[in-house]
């Protein structure tokens, strides 16, 4: 049976009740797709923006004839009638607040908010296990799309050398939302969200979440990010001694020229396997590329919900803590400056291995921090150079750091 048929068979006499937090670009897509599923019911939508709430309710009602309850505050949600919550705010702080409410109530949580996962993923996993529920990043974003290739490779006895995603936006570390307003409007995006793509922070966050799920690392500060075509991935993302760019195996990275796809480079030393792979038109070994040319972001959320309901296990969460995303200054930061959010004008993110032990502030806890000592443009922001806001995500991060020490 297919996943869909198994799900519909299990819920043929009932429905799975879903709450959505975040009715922005991703949230509206989720509303559209859930409204087409007979045995899924969107019972609650939460967003601080009243206009977005109205748009989401109208979208759902027009397609399903039912009106979800709404709120501007997650603390008002009655979880007694909710089976799973989908978090799609894109804000690390909001994600931590939502996660705390949801997981402490023993309700399964699907994160489209990879920023939160990449900052406090280990602590979220601990909290979910304590409360007999599940937290997972949802299908549709590059980390979970890539992990499907990883699982396939592992299940077919290949060694995974590297794994990653394509990058399609122009790469500008110092991009500002004020410079991208027109493009953001054309794409119906929040300018800060677009900026987080352009300045590379989003890529760093996504690959960090992937690395911490499968136990991989980055090969260098900020990853390599070469230009490539799909056919050349298995010539580039391989060890240097075999003509590639990698100093190590088990690496996450990204490439320009293959977006919106994801990839993994696999290896086998087995002579017969090499013969058969060449016979199957996969090319000459011992390295081959597995490539998926698309990911459908929030539109894949119903599949995540079905998978969670049937298989009762996470798709992607933090099993390791190998990589984090450090904040680097976009401009000269002076004493008294208050840092804005990811995709803002103050900092961009760079993926680093935690084993390096550098004391830079993670992007996920940088928002609203106050600069106490100057930081030059282009330099990492030392954690001792800022006063961090005491909020939900900082508290989670602090507890996580204590347990990791």
């Amino acid at each position: 049976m297919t996943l869909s048929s198994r799900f519909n068979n299990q819920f043929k006499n009932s429905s799975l009740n879903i709450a959505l937090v975040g009715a922005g670009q991703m949230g509206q897509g989720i509303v559209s797709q859930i409204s087409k599923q007979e045995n899924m019911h969107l019972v609650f939508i939460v967003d601080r923006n009243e206009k977005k709430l109205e748009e989401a309710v109208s979208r759902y009602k027009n397609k399903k004839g039912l009106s979800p309850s709404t709120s501007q505050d997650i603390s008002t949600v009655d979880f007694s009638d909710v089976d799973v919550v989908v978090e799609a705010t894109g804000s690390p702080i909001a994600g931590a607040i939502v996660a705390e409410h949801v997981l402490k109530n023993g309700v399964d949580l699907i994160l489209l908010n990879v920023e939160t996962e990449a900052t406090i993923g280990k602590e979220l996993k601990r909290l979910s296990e304590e409360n007999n529920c599940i937290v997972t990043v949802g299908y549709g974003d590059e980390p979970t799309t890539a992990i499907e290739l990883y699982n396939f490779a592992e299940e077919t006895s290949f060694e995974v050398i590297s794994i990653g995603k394509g990058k399609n936006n122009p790469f500008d570390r110092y991009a500002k939302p004020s410079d991208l307003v027109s493009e953001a409007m054309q794409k119906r995006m929040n300018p800060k969200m677009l900026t987080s793509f352009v300045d590379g922070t989003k890529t760093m966050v996504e690959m960090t979440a992937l690395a911490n799920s499968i136990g991989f690392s980055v090969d260098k500060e900020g990853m390599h990010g070469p230009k490539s075509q799909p056919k050349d991935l298995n010539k580039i993302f391989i060890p240097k001694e075999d003509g590639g760019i990698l100093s190590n195996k088990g690496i996450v990275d990204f490439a320009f020229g293959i977006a919106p796809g994801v990839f993994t480079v696999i290896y086998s030393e087995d002579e017969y396997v090499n013969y058969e792979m060449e016979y199957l038109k996969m090319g000459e070994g011992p390295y081959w590329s597995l490539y998926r040319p698309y990911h459908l972001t929030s539109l894949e959320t119903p599949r995540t919900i079905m998978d969670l309901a049937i298989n009762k296990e996470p798709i992607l969460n933090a099993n390791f803590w190998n990589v984090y995303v450090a904040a680097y200054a976009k401009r000269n930061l002076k004493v008294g400056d208050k840092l804005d959010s990811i995709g803002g004008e103050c900092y961009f993110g760079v993926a680093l291995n935690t084993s390096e032990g550098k004391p830079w502030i993670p992007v996920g806890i940088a928002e609203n921090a106050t600069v106490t000592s100057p930081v030059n443009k282009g330099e990492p922001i030392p954690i001792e150079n800022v006063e961090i806001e005491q909020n939900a995500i900082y508290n989670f991060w602090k507890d996580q750091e204590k347990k990791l020490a």
Side-chain angles (χ1 to χ4, degrees):
M1 296 176 72
T2 65
L3 180 63
S4 178
S5 60
R6 289 167 64 200
F7 176 84
N8 288 322
N9 184 60
Q10 181 169 317
F11 291 94
K12 61 185 176 183
N13 297 319
S14 60
S15 64
L16 190 78
N17 290 337
I18 303 155
L20 170 66
V21 185
Q25 182 187 22
M26 295 291 121
Q28 298 295 333
I30 293 167
V31 170
S32 290
Q33 297 303 77
I34 289 177
S35 70
K36 299 166 189 172
Q37 294 288 336
E38 182 180 354
N39 297 315
M40 293 182 190
H41 181 32
L42 188 57
V43 296
F44 227 107
I45 305 175
V46 181
D47 198 287
R48 291 179 298 180
N49 187 316
E50 189 68 35
K51 186 177 179 181
K52 291 293 184 183
L53 278 177
E54 292 173 1
E55 181 183 351
V57 170
S58 176
R59 190 180 303 280
Y60 189 76
K61 186 176 180 180
N62 288 343
K63 290 189 172 151
K64 206 154 190 175
L66 299 169
S67 294
S69 299
T70 63
S71 176
Q72 293 179 301
D73 185 353
I74 184 67
S75 66
T76 65
V77 176
D78 179 5
F79 290 103
S80 62
D81 196 35
V82 174
D83 298 303
V84 60
V85 175
V86 181
E87 203 285 336
T89 66
S91 161
I93 296 174
I97 293 169
V98 172
E100 186 168 26
H101 278 285
V102 173
L103 298 177
K104 284 186 175 179
N105 276 278
V107 177
D108 293 340
L109 175 64
I110 296 170
L111 291 171
L112 271 70
N113 187 340
V114 190
E115 292 82 356
T116 300
E117 169 65 23
T119 306
I120 54 170
K122 287 286 281 186
E123 196 65 5
L124 294 184
K125 182 180 180 182
R126 179 198 61 77
L127 186 61
S128 69
E129 290 172 347
E130 280 186 1
N131 291 279
N132 298 311
C133 55
I134 295 168
V135 60
T136 183
V137 177
Y139 283 126
D141 219 340
E142 285 101 330
T144 46
T145 305
I147 212 168
E148 291 188 86
L149 296 180
Y150 174 85
N151 292 339
F152 174 83
E154 290 272 295
E155 291 158 8
T156 48
S157 302
F158 288 96
E159 179 183 358
V160 178
I161 303 299
S162 54
I163 190 168
K165 59 162 283 184
K167 177 100 170 62
N168 55 2
N169 300 85
F171 203 61
D172 179 5
R173 292 287 200 198
Y174 303 106
K176 298 182 294 185
S178 56
D179 297 330
L180 297 170
V181 172
S182 178
E183 183 180 351
M185 288 181 64
Q186 291 174 3
K187 294 181 176 180
R188 298 167 71 179
M189 293 178 70
N190 182 304
K192 283 192 173 182
M193 178 63 73
L194 178 58
T195 304
S196 73
F197 286 104
V198 175
D199 70 16
T201 303
K202 191 73 170 180
T203 291
M204 302 293 154
V205 164
E206 289 166 342
M207 293 300 94
T208 292
L210 177 58
N212 289 336
S213 183
I214 61 178
F216 277 28
S217 59
V218 295
D219 201 45
K220 58 173 288 191
E221 182 179 293
M223 301 180 283
H224 291 282
K227 292 181 180 178
S228 180
Q229 295 300 313
K231 64 182 179 61
D232 298 322
L233 291 165
N234 64 328
K235 301 179 184 69
I236 296 172
F237 290 106
I238 62 175
K240 288 178 179 178
E241 56 263 33
D242 291 326
I245 64 174
L246 301 182
S247 299
N248 302 284
K249 298 177 182 179
I251 296 300
V252 296
D253 217 300
F254 66 98
F256 292 94
I258 65 165
V262 297
F263 72 92
T264 184
V265 174
I266 59 175
Y267 170 83
S268 176
E269 82 293 343
D270 190 300
E271 183 181 348
Y272 190 82
V273 171
N274 292 352
Y275 150 73
E276 196 160 358
M277 289 288 277
E278 191 166 351
Y279 172 77
L280 293 168
K281 310 299 183 186
M282 290 296 291
E284 184 179 353
Y287 298 99
W288 299 273
S289 304
L290 301 179
Y291 174 69
R292 176 173 155 178
Y294 64 92
H295 66 285
L296 304 183
T297 61
S298 62
L299 303 183
E300 295 189 40
T301 299
R303 183 168 167 245
T304 308
I305 294 168
M306 291 178 190
D307 188 281
L308 190 56
I310 297 300
N311 296 321
K312 300 293 184 183
E313 59 185 19
I315 298 161
L316 184 153
N317 64 12
N319 299 304
F320 305 86
W321 206 249
N322 294 350
V323 182
Y324 80 107
V325 185
Y328 281 55
K330 282 188 177 180
R331 57 177 175 81
N332 292 329
L333 299 174
K334 61 183 186 297
V335 174
D337 284 348
K338 180 168 278 194
L339 302 184
D340 55 5
S341 63
I342 290 173
E345 304 200 359
C346 293
Y347 55 90
F348 59 88
V350 175
L352 302 173
N353 291 324
T354 56
S355 59
E356 295 177 14
K358 295 179 179 177
W360 317 136
I361 186 171
V363 294
I365 62 169
E367 184 175 351
N368 296 329
T370 302
V371 177
T372 56
S373 295
V375 182
N376 293 328
K377 179 179 178 179
E379 292 185 353
I381 303 173
I383 202 161
E384 65 267 21
N385 284 36
V386 295
E387 183 180 335
I388 302 170
E389 182 180 74
Q390 310 292 300
N391 54 32
I393 195 162
Y394 173 70
N395 291 333
F396 271 124
W397 177 83
K398 185 170 60 174
D399 289 343
Q400 179 178 271
E401 288 294 296
K402 287 178 182 177
K403 294 180 178 71
L404 290 169

